[in-house]
Amino acid sequence: MPSGVRGALIRSVPRCVTEPIPTTWVSVEHHAPLRPGSVLLYWEPAPPDRMDVTARLGLASAEVILATWPNLHGDWSSVVHPTLLETIGLHSALSVAIDALHLANHLVYA
């Protein structure tokens, strides 16, 4: 991660934990509202040489705290990867299900 950056916007996660997670570096203080299904990771230094990491999930009407990982040390991408993969995958599946339900309702009442 670039020095001085404290946030990363994530919209997709590779299935393999060893692959890098595609990110867009952001300023946590001035980020735009999250799109539904997007995750904002942000971190703050914690002594000694550790990071407190928090993930926020964008929903249709709000942003919610998805998870918090205190006192992470070193490369913590493998720690957050499972939560990100499951959450983004679940949101995608629910979006498809909602679209299918809307289509079914439209066909029934058309």
Side-chain angles (χ1 to χ4, degrees):
M1 70 186 90
S3 74
V5 172
R6 297 257 192 270
L9 183 61
I10 299 165
R11 293 190 176 113
S12 65
V13 180
R15 297 196 74 62
C16 183
V17 72
T18 58
E19 292 181 39
I21 299 170
T23 60
T24 301
W25 305 113
V26 296
S27 168
V28 176
E29 296 83 20
H30 306 308
H31 79 276
L34 294 177
R35 288 186 350 203
S38 296
V39 176
L40 174 66
L41 284 179
Y42 61 96
W43 49 92
E44 297 176 346
D49 298 327
R50 297 187 181 274
M51 293 285 173
D52 291 339
V53 180
T54 301
R56 296 186 66 81
L57 173 64
L59 298 174
S61 61
E63 289 181 21
V64 295
I65 293 178
L66 171 63
T68 301
W69 299 272
N71 293 313
L72 295 181
H73 182 65
D75 180 7
W76 38 265
S77 59
S78 63
V79 174
V80 302
H81 181 274
T83 301
L84 298 175
L85 180 66
E86 294 291 327
T87 302
I88 291 173
L90 179 60
H91 187 275
S92 296
L94 289 172
S95 295
V96 169
I98 289 169
D99 290 345
L101 184 59
H102 288 166
L103 178 61
N105 283 335
H106 176 74
L107 293 174
V108 167
Y109 297 110

